[in-house]
Structure formats: structure tokens, C-alpha cells
Amino acid sequence: MRAAVMYRAGDVRVEDRPDPKIVQPGDAVVRTVASCVCGSDLWPYASMPATETGRPMGHEFLGVVEETGADVTGLKAGDLVVAPFKYCDNTCDYCAKGLHNSCRHGGRYGFDGVDGGQGEAVRVPYADGTLVKLPVAADSALLPSLLTLSDVMTTGHHGAVTAGVGPGDTVLVIGDGAVGLCAVIAAVRRGAERVLLMGHHPTRTDLGRDFGATDVIAERGEEGVARVREATGDGVEKVIEAVGTRESLDTAFGAVLDGGTISRLGVPQYEEGPIGPSTFLRNITLTGGASPARAYIEQLLPDILDGTITPGRVLDRGFTLDQTPDAYRAMADRQVLKAHISL
Amino acid sequence: MRAAVMYRAGDVRVEDRPDPKIVQPGDAVVRTVASCVCGSDLWPYASMPATETGRPMGHEFLGVVEETGADVTGLKAGDLVVAPFKYCDNTCDYCAKGLHNSCRHGGRYGFDGVDGGQGEAVRVPYADGTLVKLPVAADSALLPSLLTLSDVMTTGHHGAVTAGVGPGDTVLVIGDGAVGLCAVIAAVRRGAERVLLMGHHPTRTDLGRDFGATDVIAERGEEGVARVREATGDGVEKVIEAVGTRESLDTAFGAVLDGGTISRLGVPQYEEGPIGPSTFLRNITLTGGASPARAYIEQLLPDILDGTITPGRVLDRGFTLDQTPDAYRAMADRQVLKAHISL
């Protein structure tokens, strides 16, 4: 099969790889129908050291089940399924708590002999636990939105859940990338009355307004904090930080009210953060983290099926699998918000 | 009047100070009946630079109202009252949310012309908002426990509340100081089934067992983490960190399960902490902070009045006001858990 492999920062190639086969009885082989490039793929694209064997890329995909192992009971060849961005058994103590990304048997696509999602097919371990059947045809117009259940929409939702967003709330979303925009959708979906979106790419913040953002703040850093305070009187109780840089974390601490909550969705690009006496005296809660996407797929699915939410709009340009290197480049250059790869 | 004043690290003196008088119409003057020394008083006792004017000390006290300003309606001379460790209006937006320590008009005893609590009398601003009447006589045997409502008991309670402790929970409390021990009381009071207390002073951990701790872990650091994991199978979902050093924070991160919560009660003695990718990928929530003591006094009062909880037992040695310098020394030398000053 053909699949995307990264060899070092800036070097993504589409090449021939062995066709996936059932290895464990719980495996399924999924023929990929759609995949995409994640904002987090851009971190290795910017910094990965050279490797001889390369790393199969991609962790967001949906596709059609081609073959199942002997122990798989909930899926059969021909089923259209979406995969959360990590596989999981959906039975361990962490999964039982809804923390599927900490699954005792879980793992990442592209590691440990498991294929990446940016390729023609994927062997999915713990297929019964991992994959969710989609009640639409493989050519449905809903496919882009359903694909976001793999990661960005479930991640945005995780931010709104962990920040405790509820009816009438005012929420600040920092970052106008695909995750930030999905966090806007999620906050509105949970009843937030006012959603401030901090971002400086007008095409993205315009999409954020379409999703329900009531205020757009183009400034960053201290100036951004000042704008938030101006707009809200004093600050906000709930902040969703969807970037991951230290600067955006500092902005979150600056904009949050005493007693407020910062939920992080962007993978931290720092090791230490400002949790000294000031954070303590102000009773600020820091929460969020890697989304347990699997926990949320069934919750969000009905809203996509009935058109209540349309997160697929963040996939603003399509590519073929062979164009995957172009997709990375376009996203890294901020020409594309999120690249959709059709197979 | 006589009152304790700190001039520099290690130098606490009891000296004559002006008798407090009503300054604002919302003030009350409270004649102190009992006060105590806080673990947080030991930080300046260890490190305060020299000052010529000195700093009046103490923020935990109960006493009898002597005089009230023209606007005070809820209190009258002769009322026995307890003061939370910061004064507050109990009407601003932060107080309305139960975050009294961030009160828009609040402040600290010993600063801005307000007396400290380790003295014969205190002018209390916003007396109606701050002080809570106690339905006992000034010679009640319950006074030590009622005095802990000023700070340590309400602080321990804040840890249990913000960590989300509920029936059946397993909780780790790090630190066998007065706050840690009160956190044990609070966790048990909220229904925790298993409370692990990490501390290495046997007289304190014995008291912790009396308060309901089911396990005592004398080891610290990595060894302490290993003991917690051994005792619980894998770690704990809820950690109350009642020390404030970076070491104890690291222990908390080591002992907490993925998806778990660390609530901090010890004032951080660090500016930055370990909130990088690992904390993020593990979905750890960091919460807690300075307790809004005023918010909790009425909630905890009935349990002290009926003897359900006896937090006054943390006050393990009595001193007169003139002996306050000895009280500091004894606490700094760890000969005394928490010094009770009777007036």
C-alpha cells in the first residue's frame, strides 16, 4: 500500500509499505477513506531529527473495515468506521472512567508496528474497543465532519467539558487553529452565551464567528489580555487554551479571573509553567489535556448526523494521498487551516 | 494594647501598640480571646528582611466584639466571633461566588493599618461581612476547634472540596502539619473511605490516624511515591498537597493517577512547576489554592458544635501572649505542631 512517512523535519514522503494484515485476534484492517493532517503533526514536521526507517504519519482517519481478527465481534467487513486518535481496549479501568487516551493497552498510530492514518490502510489493534461504526454511506457529504471525531472535534469538546462550560457562560478560546475552532463549536453546543476567540488569521476567525464566537480578539500577549479584560469587564472564568506555547499559557493566566479554570488542549511546548504563589492565591485551576476522543464519539455523533454542528468546515482544502507532502507544507505555511486527505 | 510584631526573620517581639479604634463605619473592634501561629507565619520567620517599623503578626483569632461602627448591623458588643484569615465584604462578585479570599475589598491582618491577630485587640474592617458569631460562651471547651475555622480547618476543607473528595474515595494527603491533618478530617467528613497520610512526625501522624487516616506513609520523594503505588495498586485519583515545597508537589505528580486531581493547600515556595507534556498527556488537574475560609465557616460550625469533628486537637500547646516569641521558636523547631495563644 501507499502511505506517508516522515524521515526528518520537513521531509514527508509517500511510499510503498507492506499491506497491513491481522496480527492479533482483536485487530481489524481498515481501508482508509479519508484522513487529515493534525496541528500536532506540525511539531515533528518542524523539529524531528533524521531517522533512517522513518515514521508512518497520521492518527485521524475513517474508513471501511476490510478484515477482522477472530476475536472481533462488533465489526464486520464493509462497516464504515471512524478511529479515535489513539487505539484503546475500551474495557480497562482508565477506559471505564472515560480516560481512553490513558488506556492500559492503548497506543499511537505510527508506533510499535501499527500503521499511521495517512495511508491506504491501517491495522487497528483492539478494534472492538477502538472503532465506532458510522451509520452513513462511504460517500456521505457528512464525512469531513465525521472525520473530525477522530481528534479535533472531540478535542475541542474535551476543552469545553474540562473547563466546565455550561449554559450562559462566557468562555475565552485562545487559538484559531482547527482545535480552537472546534472548541468554539463545543462551547456554543454546551450553552455558552459569549465566546471570545483569540486569533489573528481573519479567514479562521471568520469561521469561528460562523461557529458562534461572539467576539474576536486579534491581539496576543499582554495586549490580548487587556482586550479580554476590556471586553468582559474584568476577565473570564473559563479559558480554553488551544495553542500550546508558553506565550498562550501566560495569556490564559492573564485573562482568567480568580477562581477560574484554564483547560489546555494544545500540547505544551514547555516543560515548566507559572504555577507559583500568584496562581495559588488566585485559586486558578489548570485542567484539560489530551482528549479521550473515544469517550466522546457517540456523544457528538448525533449532532453531526442531524447537522447541528459542522466541524468538517475546518478541513478547508482537499489533497490526494500522493499530495500529502504538499498538505504538510501548506499547513506549516499557514496557507491551509487543516488538510483533508481523500483516498 | 500588647501585640506581637515581627522585625525580621527570627525576631518576634510582644510590645505596646495603639489600642484599635473604629476608623470606618463598617469596622468592629474585637477583643481577642484566642489566637494561634500559622505554618505560613513560619515563612517570614525564616526569611523576612529587617524592617524598622515591624509587621504586626497573626491572622487567626476569635474574640469578643467590643465596639462597632455606625454601619455594622449584624454584630453587637459582647458577641463572641471568629474571624476568617482575611477580612472581606461578603457582598462583592467574588464573595458571592464563595471566593472570599479574592474579595474586592478584602485584605490581610497586619497590613494597611489593620492589626494582626496575635494581639489583645483587632480592628476588623467590613465586620458584618467578615465575622461569624459563635453560639457558645467565651469559656467554652470548644474554643480551640472553633478557632481553627479561622484558617486550618477551613483550609483543609478547601482541599477536600477542590479535590472533589466524596463518598468511597481514596485520598492522599501530603504533609502532617496542621493543615494536612485538617485535610484528613475534611476528607473523612466528606466520606473518603481510605485516606493515606504522608508525614514523618509520629506524634502528628498518630493524630492523623485518630482523625481517620487509614495509612501512614513516612517516606518522602520517590520512595514515598513508590509506597503510595504499592499501597493502592497504582496511585490515587485525589491528592491534597499541604506542604508547598517543590519536592512535595513532585511527589503529588508522582502519586496521582492519570486523570486525577492535585489540590494545593501549601503556599508554593516555587515560581514554576512541572506542567509540561507529561502532565498534559496524563490529564492531571491542578487546583486548590488559598482557602476562602469565610465561605466555609457556617458549613463546618455545626460539626464542631456537636463534636463530630475536633480540629482543635491540632493546637497541641498553649502559650500566653507574652510567650508568642517562644511559640514561634517552638513551631519552627518542630517541637510544637500548632501554638495556641490564650489571652
Side-chain angles (χ1 to χ4, degrees), chain A residues 69-202:
Chain A
D71 288 355
V72 176
T73 59
L75 299 164
K76 59 179 193 309
D79 286 344
L80 183 72
V81 291
V82 64
F85 68 85
K86 282 185 73 176
Y87 56 86
C88 56
D89 61 21
N90 202 22
T91 57
C92 77
D93 56 338
Y94 277 128
C95 288
K97 287 185 221 171
L99 202 70
H100 295 71
N101 55 316
S102 291
C103 172
R104 303 281 177 184
H105 298 108
R108 298 170 66 190
Y109 302 104
F111 293 85
D112 305 316
V114 175
D115 311 284
Q118 292 159 6
E120 289 178 327
V122 182
R123 175 176 72 88
V124 179
Y126 299 95
D128 271 335
T130 304
L131 299 169
V132 179
K133 241 175 107 165
L134 297 172
V136 299
D139 61 352
S140 163
L142 295 174
L143 249 51
S145 283
L146 294 168
L147 176 58
T148 67
L149 292 172
S150 258
D151 188 340
V152 280
M153 186 58 224
T154 42
T155 293
H157 179 67
H158 187 54
V161 168
T162 53
V165 175
D169 279 349
T170 295
V171 182
L172 169 66
V173 174
I174 302 178
D176 60 6
V179 167
L181 296 175
C182 287
V184 171
I185 296 174
V188 171
R189 181 179 170 276
R190 290 175 70 88
E193 213 166 87
R194 193 164 177 199
V195 179
L196 298 94
L197 174 61
M198 191 175 276
H200 55 280
H201 302 90

Side-chain angles (χ1 to χ4, degrees), chain A residues 93-94 97 99 101-102 104 158 162 234 237 246 249 253 256-260 264-292, chain B residues 93-94 97 99 101-102 104 158 162 234 237 246 249 253 256-260 264-292:
Chain A
D93 56 338
Y94 277 128
K97 287 185 221 171
L99 202 70
N101 55 316
S102 291
R104 303 281 177 184
H158 187 54
T162 53
D234 197 29
E237 272 194 32
R246 177 61 192 263
L249 181 69
F253 275 106
V256 75
L257 286 168
D258 288 14
R264 296 185 296 171
L265 298 180
V267 184
Q269 303 304 304
Y270 48 84
E271 290 293 333
E272 303 256 315
I275 56 168
S278 144
T279 302
F280 175 87
L281 293 171
R282 298 179 59 210
N283 267 281
I284 294 166
T285 294
L286 188 68
T287 187
S291 172
Chain B
D93 56 339
Y94 276 129
K97 286 186 222 172
L99 202 68
N101 56 316
S102 292
R104 304 280 177 185
H158 188 53
T162 53
D234 198 30
E237 270 194 31
R246 178 61 193 263
L249 181 70
F253 276 107
V256 74
L257 287 168
D258 288 15
R264 295 185 298 171
L265 298 179
V267 183
Q269 303 303 305
Y270 48 84
E271 290 294 332
E272 303 255 314
I275 55 167
S278 144
T279 303
F280 175 88
L281 293 172
R282 297 180 59 210
N283 268 280
I284 293 166
T285 294
L286 188 67
T287 186
S291 172

Side-chain angles (χ1 to χ4, degrees), chain B residues 206-231:
Chain B
D206 284 352
L207 185 52
R209 282 194 194 273
D210 276 5
F211 286 153
T214 50
D215 303 66
V216 167
I217 293 174
E219 291 83 357
R220 290 188 281 187
E222 279 179 32
E223 222 181 318
V225 169
R227 281 290 316 281
V228 173
R229 291 188 176 273
E230 228 174 80

Side-chain angles (χ1 to χ4, degrees), chain B residues 304-330:
Chain B
I304 290 178
L305 294 175
D306 71 10
T308 304
I309 60 173
T310 56
R313 294 181 65 194
V314 301
L315 294 157
D316 60 340
R317 196 184 305 171
F319 295 83
T320 64
L321 179 59
D322 282 337
Q323 292 169 332
T324 302
D326 304 325
Y328 274 82
R329 207 170 301 121

Side-chain angles (χ1 to χ4, degrees), chain B residues 147-262:
Chain B
L147 176 57
T148 67
L149 293 172
S150 259
D151 189 339
V152 279
M153 186 59 225
T154 40
T155 293
H157 179 68
H158 188 53
V161 169
T162 53
V165 175
D169 279 350
T170 294
V171 182
L172 169 66
V173 175
I174 301 178
D176 59 8
V179 167
L181 295 176
C182 286
V184 171
I185 296 175
V188 171
R189 182 179 171 276
R190 291 175 69 87
E193 214 167 86
R194 193 165 178 198
V195 179
L196 299 94
L197 174 61
M198 191 175 276
H200 56 281
H201 302 91
T203 56
R204 300 177 180 194
T205 53
D206 284 352
L207 185 52
R209 282 194 194 273
D210 276 5
F211 286 153
T214 50
D215 303 66
V216 167
I217 293 174
E219 291 83 357
R220 290 188 281 187
E222 279 179 32
E223 222 181 318
V225 169
R227 281 290 316 281
V228 173
R229 291 188 176 273
E230 228 174 80
T232 56
D234 198 30
V236 290
E237 270 194 31
K238 290 160 189 185
V239 180
I240 300 175
E241 193 286 285
V243 180
T245 60
R246 178 61 193 263
E247 186 197 23
S248 67
L249 181 70
D250 289 341
T251 301
F253 276 107
V256 74
L257 287 168
D258 288 15
T261 300
I262 298 169

